Amino acid sequence: MDTFEVLDIAIVETGALDHRVRRANAAACALSGCSPEEIIGRVWGDGCFQADHERMDAQVRMYLTQGQGRTRRLIRLRHRSGATVHAVATSVLRTDADGEPYFLTHLQNVSEEIAAQDQLRLVVENTPVSMFLLDRDGHVLVSAGSATPQTAAGLREARELSILRIFADQPQVTSAVRRALAGERVDQMIETFGRCLDLHLVPIPDPNGQVGSVAAVATDITEWQQALADLRLRSAEQATVADLGQSALEAREPAALWNQAVLAVADHLRADLVEIHDLAAQDDRGALLARADRRREPASGRTGTHRPDVCLTVPIGRPGSPLAKIEIHRHPGADLFTDQDQRFVRSVAAVLGSAALRLQMEDEIRHQSLHDGLTGLPNRTALLDHLERALCQPRRADRRIGVLFIDLDGFKKVNDTLGHEAGDRLLRATAARLHAAVRPGDMVGRLAGDEFAVVCEGIHSIADLETVADRVLAAIATPCRLFEQSIVSTGSIGMALSDQDLHDADTLLNAADLAMYTAKRHRPGSRLAHRRAG
């Protein structure tokens, strides 16, 4: 059997002068999808792409002229299905028995390899990666991809000139290349042309164990680094807000929380000036609650005309009814605040607003727990606490603490004849009169029902306390108009001064209480001082 037909490799025999196919085995016919009858006698180039045919024709003429016996080239064949078949054609010039020259051509199908190469090229060209191979002198032997346009252009130039010269103004690049050429594997991030690249350089040894070349991959990770930086920034913001939230939960008064907030905002946003202001009427700026001042001009030179522009203002509190506001200033020409900056400040404001509302509610609850709901005066608990603290304060030996215990005379009759509303009005009127009658700094409290007390500090003698008591009696006795009736009320007062026996709040108040009952029993509307038994 003819070996030409037996071999499972594509072989075609063509005339050297007319280019017509003289023979083609089954493997060669399979490349084009045609039968031997369709191929034999046809001009060989008709099955190729026009450009390949013209190039092949020119090469054949040159080979015949020069007498070159062997050639190898890559050609593209048209398959009957319309597909393109890439083949490496290795041709040998021979002469038949009649002395006619012909070409014996071996065709090797490399379509899969070409497809894989094209796919790899597409991957490289459409991803932020550059790959290249350097020789010992830093010349680029081959390169592909475009991590950045400038990098790709520089690598193309480095095919003629060393990469060490092309990137001479990029010390991070040249340092990394020199280390790789010296045999070190390099994995590092570099900044070049305004981008961040992840560079990997791998020395490849030659047969003598020396660095023969360096394989390199550079990946543009600018967006990834930016995303990582943004993530760190968001994490820092969340940590700042979380710390502030923890402080807000623990805060007992707002001043420290305001100060922590302005410092955190100034640090995070690199602001020149951060202030928190209370809000007056019509949302106007009120009292300054906290400030973080990072301006550089001397404090003595700071005036309104030198104040940086207000770049961002965020309210604190419920929407529509803010309690305060944050003002953030930057010097003219500074970067504008981003949307994320504004979201951060609003998060801070939300924490402060919640804390302010909580503290406000706690103050109200605390006030209600220590004050009488009818008259607004401190209640028994608050008065005893104030008295106890006053007794614990160091004072001069001739200055003592005095207590007036006051009980209205005939108060039950007012309630029984005019009703409880009239009684409530009388109690409120009495509270106002007591406030007006005592000295500045004296504390007036309602103990229960129609019982009141006054704590007087800095009393020298019982005569000082009697002077206050007389003013109180006169104020209570002033006629009061209730439901179109003029009511004249009186009060009985017991007085007690602190001494070695009356040195705690309960004992001192009880002493004044006993003196009041004695005064009421003997002569209502009078005052009486506590006397020690014996």
Side-chain angles (χ1 to χ4, degrees):
M1 182 178 289
D2 190 350
T3 305
F4 187 90
E5 298 293 343
V6 172
L7 294 176
D8 190 21
I9 57 176
I11 300 177
V12 178
E13 183 180 306
T14 59
L17 300 178
D18 60 7
H19 309 310
R20 292 188 179 279
V21 178
R22 294 165 53 169
R23 298 177 70 189
N25 66 0
C29 293
L31 290 179
S32 63
C34 299
S35 65
E37 291 76 15
E38 294 173 303
I39 294 178
I40 294 174
R42 189 175 68 178
V43 175
W44 167 242
D46 291 346
C48 302
F49 279 71
Q50 182 65 29
D52 292 348
H53 172 62
E54 293 174 356
R55 185 169 60 254
M56 181 174 58
D57 187 55
Q59 288 179 340
V60 166
R61 288 196 300 270
M62 181 181 65
Y63 297 153
L64 290 173
T65 302
Q66 297 178 352
Q68 185 172 344
R70 181 185 294 271
T71 181
R72 195 165 185 260
R73 59 193 176 275
L74 179 66
I75 62 173
R76 291 169 296 172
L77 303 175
R78 289 189 179 91
H79 193 273
R80 169 171 284 178
S81 64
T84 299
V85 177
H86 295 267
V88 175
T90 305
S91 299
V92 179
L93 182 62
R94 309 213 28 155
T95 303
D96 61 16
D98 298 327
E100 293 292 330
Y102 69 93
F103 282 107
L104 188 63
T105 302
H106 165 226
L107 299 172
Q108 181 182 356
N109 189 348
V110 293
S111 297
E112 292 184 0
E113 289 80 355
I114 293 295
Q117 183 178 352
D118 287 342
Q119 291 168 356
L120 179 60
R121 177 181 54 79
L122 288 173
V123 170
V124 173
E125 290 180 354
N126 291 277
T127 54
V129 176
S130 285
M131 296 186 293
F132 51 97
L133 186 67
L134 302 175
D135 65 11
R136 289 182 53 83
D137 298 321
H139 292 92
V140 174
L141 301 175
V142 63
S143 66
S146 56
T148 67
Q150 299 91 335
T151 301
L155 292 175
R156 286 192 295 271
E157 291 184 46
R159 295 188 181 190
E160 299 296 330
L161 300 174
S162 172
I163 195 172
L164 299 173
R165 292 183 57 185
I166 298 299
F167 290 91
D169 59 342
Q170 303 286 330
Q172 281 189 310
V173 176
T174 55
S175 173
V177 170
R178 292 184 191 280
R179 287 157 51 200
L181 291 173
E184 177 184 350
R185 182 179 180 128
V186 178
D187 300 288
Q188 72 176 65
M189 287 187 297
I190 64 172
E191 292 184 4
T192 179
F193 303 117
R195 307 292 290 179
C196 185
L197 302 182
D198 186 19
L199 181 64
H200 299 273
L201 301 175
V202 180
I204 301 175
D206 60 15
N208 298 321
Q210 302 297 316
V211 176
S213 57
V214 172
V217 177
T219 306
D220 187 350
I221 57 172
T222 306
E223 282 71 23
W224 181 80
Q225 285 291 97
Q226 184 60 53
L228 187 60
D230 290 342
L231 180 60
R232 291 194 186 102
L233 186 62
R234 299 295 84 80
S235 298
E237 289 177 352
Q238 292 172 5
T240 298
V241 174
D243 289 344
L244 199 61
Q246 184 64 36
S247 298
L249 292 174
E250 300 171 353
R252 292 293 174 265
E253 54 87 23
L257 188 61
W258 301 143
N259 287 326
Q260 180 183 348
V262 294
L263 289 172
V265 171
D267 289 341
H268 186 76
L269 298 183
R270 296 184 179 87
D272 297 295
L273 180 65
V274 180
E275 295 178 332
I276 297 180
H277 287 273
D278 195 0
L279 289 182
Q282 289 80 44
D283 292 341
D284 290 336
R285 178 195 288 180
L288 177 66
L289 301 178
R291 167 186 284 176
D293 195 342
R294 306 291 172 78
R295 293 175 293 181
R296 295 181 180 179
E297 65 268 24
S300 59
R302 292 175 184 167
T303 65
T305 57
H306 294 91
R307 191 184 188 90
D309 292 337
V310 176
C311 297
L312 185 59
T313 300
V314 175
I316 298 173
R318 293 192 181 98
S321 58
L323 305 171
K325 62 181 178 181
I326 305 177
E327 290 183 357
I328 305 170
H329 306 260
R330 277 181 176 167
H331 61 274
D335 292 338
L336 296 177
F337 291 104
T338 65
D339 291 342
Q340 183 59 41
D341 292 338
Q342 297 183 43
R343 285 192 288 270
F344 167 68
V345 179
R346 285 196 292 269
S347 297
V348 171
V351 171
L352 296 180
S354 298
L357 291 173
R358 177 183 67 80
L359 292 171
Q360 187 180 67
M361 292 176 62
E362 289 179 353
D363 286 344
E364 292 174 357
I365 293 172
R366 190 179 300 109
H367 183 273
Q368 292 172 5
S369 68
L370 297 175
H371 288 76
D372 172 46
L374 178 64
T375 64
L377 294 176
N379 60 18
R380 184 184 188 92
T381 300
L383 187 135
L384 283 172
D385 179 69
H386 175 79
L387 179 57
E388 190 66 46
R389 284 188 283 108
L391 289 168
C392 292
Q393 292 294 323
R395 58 186 180 275
R396 291 168 48 184
D398 60 344
R399 299 295 177 184
R400 297 151 72 185
I401 308 298
V403 173
L404 304 181
F405 198 108
I406 306 157
D407 184 86
L408 298 183
D409 301 321
F411 179 72
K412 184 177 183 300
K413 182 179 179 181
V414 173
N415 273 342
D416 292 343
T417 57
L418 299 179
H420 287 285
E421 185 177 350
D424 290 345
R425 291 187 181 185
L426 179 59
L427 291 174
R428 285 194 290 266
T430 301
R433 290 173 176 181
L434 292 178
H435 254 307
V438 300
R439 306 172 307 166
D442 290 345
M443 181 180 186
V444 180
R446 182 187 177 198
L447 301 177
D450 60 343
E451 295 177 343
F452 297 85
V454 180
V455 176
C456 304
E457 299 184 48
I459 298 296
H460 178 68
S461 66
I462 194 65
D464 293 340
L465 201 56
E466 289 173 344
T467 300
V468 179
D470 288 340
R471 290 203 302 269
V472 169
L473 289 174
I476 295 173
T478 303
C480 179
R481 194 79 177 169
L482 297 175
F483 297 119
E484 305 302 324
Q485 295 189 41
S486 180
I487 303 298
V488 177
S489 178
T490 61
S492 299
I493 299 179
M495 301 177 294
L497 271 178
S498 63
D499 57 23
Q500 59 183 2
D501 294 323
L502 304 177
H503 54 77
D504 65 79
D506 286 320
T507 303
L508 187 57
L509 184 64
N510 287 337
D513 186 9
L514 292 174
M516 181 277 296
Y517 274 109
T518 302
K520 182 181 284 290
R521 186 169 58 251
H522 289 89
R523 187 161 61 92
S526 66
R527 56 173 170 78
L528 182 68
H530 169 76
R531 305 290 183 187
R532 279 187 292 177

